Amino acid sequence: MTLYNFSPCSFSLPNGDMLYRDIRLSLDSGLSALIGRNGSGKSVLATQLAEQQPADCYLLPQLPPAHWQQLSLADLLGITDKLNALQQLADGQCDTEILSIIDGHWQLADDLHSELKQIGAAPDIWQRCSSLSGGQLNHLRLWWAFYQQRSLLILDEPSNHLDAQARNGLSQRITRFLAQPKSAILLISHDRELLQQASVIYELNSSGLSRYGGNYEFYQQQRQLQQTALQQQRQQAERNLVQQQRQAQTAAERAAKRRQQGKKQRGSQATILLDYQKNRAQSAVSARRTQEQHQLKQAQQQLQQVKAQQEVIKPQQFYLQAPAVTGSKQWVNAVALQLAHGNSQPLSFNWHSKQRVHLQGCNGSGKSTLLQTLAGLTSPAAGQLQLNCTIQYLDQHFSLLNSSQSALTNLRQYCPLLSETSARTLLASAGLRTDKALQPAGVLSGGERMKLAMLMVSKHNDSLLLLDEPDNHLDLETKTLLAQTLYHYPAGFVVVSHDQHFIALLGIDTVLQI
């Protein structure tokens, strides 16, 4: 049953180019998904759709607001006024304004305390967001999205940062929510497991918006059939065009021969007869040319129509600079290392220059804290840590990016030895071409920011790569490409990820469970 019909949506980039035009979308009850490559405009479209249904819809953005680390948890969730009103009520104050602010959220503080306890976080509802892990923070953002009981939820990359248990909890929340009558979710995701739950999938690409009635596996099958059929139509249209061009060329050559023969005959035939033959031949040639031009134009139009239906996909590539490491050298040695946050159990390990390490652990266990400790950003609570290499750290929040500077400026400042030409080539290889390279990093999509950050940390020699959920925000094609690139990387790295499909492609040889 169709619950929402949205007005057509269009969006122009700062340079005037259309990102998409007249996108029309209707949402049925149940779970629908919106997919597409990084930078195709999914998050922008989600915002436009949410603005059309302000009373019924709650939008969970892909990324928290800028400077979220300095915000309190209550401010991030937008519930400071409600928590203050509940405290005022508990202190004996009661008036119409306070009751209006609370608006039925009588158990909000208690419920938030319960969620904090469930994820193993401190029970302080006023704590700064920086005290929580990315997974814990996203868990609470999702909790608030479902808590409000809106009839329409738009969830932009909701499974990012979530461990296996939290992802399972998200699936259960979705199931419970959709059990209510007249409820709908629009899911924007690259998570295969979540997409398998969808009953409708919309794909946004350079050709517009396409609808597929089924889950992700059904979408893949239909998409492959569609692309195969279009490729066959294109090949046939190209053959038709070549045939029409050859026929036109052959006709032109024959006409030239006839004109040459006519010139030779003028000396032996009467002038009146020759003029008659000439006029008749010219009329026939003109008719043939008109028909040939019409057929050629039809063949060209047919080819253009098929091309317009095919998505233009420009190839991408990650270039990871190979460290100048010969043999296997010890890079990291930790003895009874105790983290400042998360798991209090001491850790002992040593990693060599070609080791590929997967850090495993639930949200809040200390995986990011360990990476920050290795990067020198956080001091250990106890123990010894010896590093025999430099560190390049890519955190899950793109902290190394300057949001106000362009992608090109970010890359060149972080890698000063890169020429502008080389930097532009690298950015283009990752899909950040021309104007994209000049846009502020803060306006890029989450996937585009991750690509930029990955380029920056990978262009330093003799460095151990610390990658904290580098697959977050990436579309499925780019995620696979990154995995293949890391697989062929000749040196070691340490990676955190909750996507087992991604991890399985990396050639991991060491697992550290926290």
Side-chain angles (χ1 to χ4, degrees):
M1 179 179 65
T2 300
L3 296 183
Y4 297 98
N5 288 301
F6 296 93
S7 301
C9 297
S10 302
F11 187 82
S12 298
L13 298 171
N15 64 358
D17 292 342
M18 294 296 297
L19 185 59
Y20 51 77
R21 184 193 303 273
D22 293 335
I23 295 297
R24 299 172 184 272
L25 188 143
S26 298
L27 277 187
D28 299 337
S29 58
L31 180 62
S32 301
L34 176 63
I35 64 174
R37 287 180 170 79
N38 295 140
S40 60
K42 302 184 298 298
S43 295
V44 177
L45 178 59
T47 301
Q48 291 181 322
L49 297 176
E51 289 172 348
Q52 292 188 32
Q53 300 288 340
D56 297 336
C57 177
Y58 181 82
L59 168 66
L60 178 73
Q62 176 183 160
L63 299 171
H67 312 299
W68 59 268
Q69 293 96 332
Q70 284 73 48
L71 297 176
S72 71
L73 177 58
D75 285 339
L76 177 70
L77 299 179
I79 59 177
T80 300
D81 58 340
K82 290 181 171 57
L83 293 175
N84 283 332
L86 286 168
Q87 185 60 52
Q88 289 173 328
L89 190 64
D91 292 339
Q93 302 180 48
C94 182
D95 57 36
T96 303
E97 183 179 358
I98 290 177
L99 296 177
S100 175
I101 292 173
I102 296 174
D103 191 25
H105 292 91
W106 304 104
Q107 298 296 319
L108 179 58
D110 292 337
D111 291 341
L112 180 53
H113 274 120
S114 177
E115 288 297 317
L116 288 169
K117 180 180 179 180
Q118 180 181 333
I119 62 176
D124 181 11
I125 60 178
W126 301 105
Q127 62 186 297
R128 285 188 178 273
C129 293
S130 56
S131 64
L132 299 168
S133 74
Q136 290 173 320
L137 194 66
N138 209 33
H139 179 103
L140 293 171
R141 294 174 69 223
L142 282 164
W143 164 78
W144 178 239
F146 285 94
Y147 190 87
Q148 299 171 77
Q149 296 297 310
R150 304 286 184 94
S151 57
L152 170 61
L153 296 181
I154 300 180
L155 307 178
D156 197 348
E157 300 283 8
S159 63
N160 278 354
H161 311 294
L162 299 183
D163 59 29
Q165 182 178 354
R167 290 184 182 212
N168 184 54
L170 171 59
S171 295
Q172 292 175 359
R173 286 186 190 273
I174 290 175
T175 300
R176 287 195 299 269
F177 177 83
L178 294 178
Q180 304 171 72
K182 296 184 178 179
S183 59
I185 293 177
L186 179 61
L187 170 71
I188 303 173
S189 180
H190 304 295
D191 187 319
R192 290 177 177 87
E193 280 73 19
L194 277 181
L195 293 173
Q196 276 298 98
Q197 299 180 40
S199 55
V200 175
I201 289 183
Y202 292 93
E203 182 183 30
L204 182 63
N205 57 38
S206 58
S207 301
L209 189 71
S210 301
R211 184 183 187 277
Y212 299 84
N215 60 17
Y216 186 69
E217 183 178 354
F218 178 82
Y219 153 78
Q220 286 183 305
Q221 295 170 350
Q222 295 302 307
R223 186 77 159 77
Q224 183 60 48
L225 291 173
Q226 183 185 70
Q227 292 305 307
T228 300
L230 282 173
Q231 184 60 28
Q232 291 173 347
Q233 292 175 27
R234 177 169 179 166
Q235 292 171 352
Q236 182 61 47
E238 288 172 343
R239 287 194 292 267
N240 290 342
L241 179 59
V242 170
Q243 183 180 0
Q244 293 300 325
Q245 290 171 335
R246 286 176 178 171
Q247 289 177 352
Q249 179 64 28
T250 300
E253 292 172 355
R254 288 175 179 171
K257 289 180 180 179
R258 284 194 293 268
R259 286 195 299 272
Q260 188 64 30
Q261 291 173 353
K263 290 179 180 180
K264 292 179 180 180
Q265 294 175 355
R266 292 194 70 85
S268 59
Q269 296 187 22
T271 301
I272 294 177
L273 178 60
L274 288 173
D275 287 342
Y276 170 76
Q277 292 175 338
K278 178 181 177 181
N279 292 336
R280 185 179 179 184
Q282 286 177 341
S283 297
V285 168
S286 178
R288 282 197 303 270
R289 283 180 178 175
T290 300
Q291 183 180 12
E292 289 163 1
Q293 290 173 354
H294 177 68
Q295 291 173 338
L296 185 59
K297 186 177 180 180
Q298 277 188 326
Q300 290 171 337
Q301 289 176 342
Q302 183 185 22
L303 179 58
Q304 290 302 317
Q305 287 172 357
V306 175
K307 284 183 176 181
Q309 296 178 63
Q310 290 184 304
E311 182 184 5
V312 179
I313 303 175
K314 296 181 180 180
Q316 298 184 49
Q317 188 170 354
F318 279 108
Y319 293 98
L320 297 185
Q321 187 163 320
V325 177
T326 57
S328 181
K329 303 176 182 179
Q330 188 181 75
W331 269 8
V332 181
N333 184 44
V335 179
L337 187 69
Q338 189 170 335
L339 303 178
H341 307 286
N343 190 358
S344 60
Q345 294 293 324
L347 303 170
S348 296
F349 54 86
N350 61 80
W351 297 331
H352 57 73
S353 55
K354 294 187 177 182
Q355 207 153 346
R356 299 167 175 227
V357 183
H358 179 209
L359 291 188
Q360 290 184 351
C362 61
N363 293 143
S365 61
K367 301 183 299 298
S368 296
T369 301
L370 176 55
L371 295 185
Q372 292 165 7
T373 303
L374 293 171
L377 301 176
T378 300
S379 299
Q384 299 178 357
L385 177 64
Q386 181 181 0
L387 297 176
N388 301 315
C389 61
T390 58
I391 297 291
Q392 291 298 318
Y393 173 44
L394 171 59
D395 73 356
Q396 55 191 266
H397 304 296
F398 327 111
S399 298
L400 55 81
L401 299 184
N402 185 326
S403 297
S404 62
Q405 292 183 339
S406 70
L408 178 62
T409 301
N410 269 284
L411 179 57
R412 293 200 67 198
Q413 286 188 350
Y414 199 80
C415 308
L417 297 181
L418 277 180
S419 67
E420 180 172 345
T421 300
S422 297
R424 282 181 174 273
T425 300
L426 287 170
L427 290 169
S429 72
L432 299 173
R433 297 175 174 85
T434 57
D435 290 335
K436 282 278 188 182
L438 302 179
Q439 289 181 10
V443 304
L444 298 176
S445 72
E448 289 170 330
R449 291 188 218 183
M450 184 59 77
K451 293 178 188 178
L452 172 59
M454 190 71 202
L455 280 178
M456 291 164 63
V457 300
S458 67
K459 301 315 294 177
H460 287 263
N461 245 335
D462 281 329
S463 296
L464 173 64
L465 294 181
L466 306 180
L467 308 175
D468 198 349
E469 303 199 50
D471 53 315
N472 274 353
H473 311 290
L474 296 182
D475 60 53
L476 293 172
E477 179 185 356
T478 307
K479 187 181 293 192
T480 301
L481 177 61
L482 174 59
Q484 293 170 346
T485 305
L486 286 171
Y487 178 81
H488 292 100
Y489 186 58
F493 53 82
V494 184
V495 62
V496 175
S497 175
H498 299 292
D499 187 335
Q500 295 306 315
H501 296 279
F502 177 72
I503 289 297
L505 300 175
L506 301 184
I508 295 296
D509 53 46
T510 303
V511 174
L512 179 60
Q513 181 76 37
I514 301 181

